Amino acid sequence: MENALYMNDSYLKEFEAVVESVKEDKYIVLDRTCFYPVGGGQPHDTGVIICNDEEYPVVYVGKFSGQVSHEVSKPGLKVGDNVIGKINWNRRYKFMRMHTAAHLLISIFNRESNVLITGNQIDEDKTRIDFNMENFDRDKIMKYIQDANDIIKQDIHVKTYYLPREDAMKIPGVVKLAAALPPNVDTLRIVEIPGIDVQADGGTHVKRLAEIGTIEFVKAENKGKDNRRVYYTVR
Ligand SMILES: [Zn+2]
């Protein structure tokens, strides 16, 4: 994981790397990267790979067989090229704020209503959280968002660290998504909002809660009998 630079420094915007493989003139693997690959409810980064002053736009980033693959929209990169990667920071930073906000909200939903989270998709304009709650209660949801905003004002520092899988799995609530078990690896990355939430998570997060800004309710929907969907944004 030491070549997945985004895992240890989510604020890294630019990096130097060497092209390790090129497939079909558009799928690029680098020896290191800070481009986040789609996963865990967080969309991929976009940006550019620069080689000899030539820019290769990165339009998709995915993880395949443990390797981060960057899809570029222009051919020409070759194995062994020394490149600079630059991510679209505005997009990424929005995802970081949305993602930490999701952990905060999910921990409150979980604690206050003991609901199970069934899905979570972060996006630039709005993020959705799906959960099972028998009776849809708009007042409750508005109250939880208010609680989250009150906690944000405490400006708690978010911690990221690694634990052996065995120890991590003993933490109550370390996995909050009903259907998502962490990857089958020996070491799990933990994202902790001290006093509020601990989760096994591979996403990128802000360092301090105040960076989230204010969480705003967008809309709520019923998705079947027990399934509720809430959309929020951050300002
Ligand atoms: Zn997460």
Side-chain angles (χ1 to χ4, degrees), residues 21-28 71-77:
S21 76
V22 179
K23 230 170 73 187
E24 296 170 41
D25 238 352
K26 63 177 177 180
Y27 301 110
I28 312 296
E71 181 181 345
V72 292
S73 59
K74 192 164 87 177
L77 286 169

Side-chain angles (χ1 to χ4, degrees), residues 61-187:
V61 187
K63 205 170 186 184
F64 303 96
S65 326
Q67 280 189 320
V68 177
S69 170
H70 311 71
E71 181 181 345
V72 292
S73 59
K74 192 164 87 177
L77 286 169
K78 300 273 177 288
V79 172
D81 279 348
N82 291 299
V83 300
I84 291 170
K86 273 188 196 173
I87 63 168
N88 176 345
W89 177 246
N90 288 342
R91 175 181 158 94
R92 154 69 85 73
Y93 190 52
K94 192 71 178 284
F95 293 156
M96 286 163 57
R97 293 168 60 212
M98 288 282 207
H99 200 153
T100 309
H103 282 212
L104 184 54
L105 282 173
I106 286 169
S107 73
I108 294 172
F109 284 9
N110 209 255
R111 190 180 62 208
E112 299 294 327
S113 274
N114 200 25
V115 295
L116 271 183
I117 307 301
T118 52
N120 171 217
Q121 182 58 53
I122 293 159
D123 215 332
E124 272 189 284
D125 342 322
K126 58 183 191 305
T127 290
R128 70 168 167 78
I129 299 175
D130 294 336
F131 53 97
N132 60 358
M133 183 190 256
E134 216 174 301
N135 297 307
F136 177 75
D137 190 333
R138 194 192 153 98
D139 291 345
K140 254 189 199 168
I141 288 165
M142 298 309 281
K143 163 85 168 60
Y144 297 161
I145 291 177
Q146 187 50 53
D147 289 350
N149 282 323
D150 288 343
I151 293 169
I152 287 171
K153 288 189 196 115
Q154 298 172 27
D155 198 13
I156 299 166
H157 287 231
V158 180
K159 294 198 288 188
T160 304
Y161 53 92
Y162 294 85
L163 281 181
R165 185 188 178 89
E166 221 185 274
D167 299 344
M169 296 306 274
K170 286 180 193 150
I171 301 171
V174 76
V175 179
K176 288 199 179 60
L177 253 67
L181 268 181
N184 195 17
V185 287
D186 295 341
T187 306

Side-chain angles (χ1 to χ4, degrees), residues 4-24:
L5 306 173
Y6 54 87
M7 292 282 272
N8 294 325
D9 183 0
S10 55
Y11 290 79
L12 192 64
K13 305 166 185 73
E14 199 179 318
F15 61 100
E16 289 177 10
V18 179
V19 176
E20 273 194 345
S21 76
V22 179
K23 230 170 73 187
E24 296 170 41

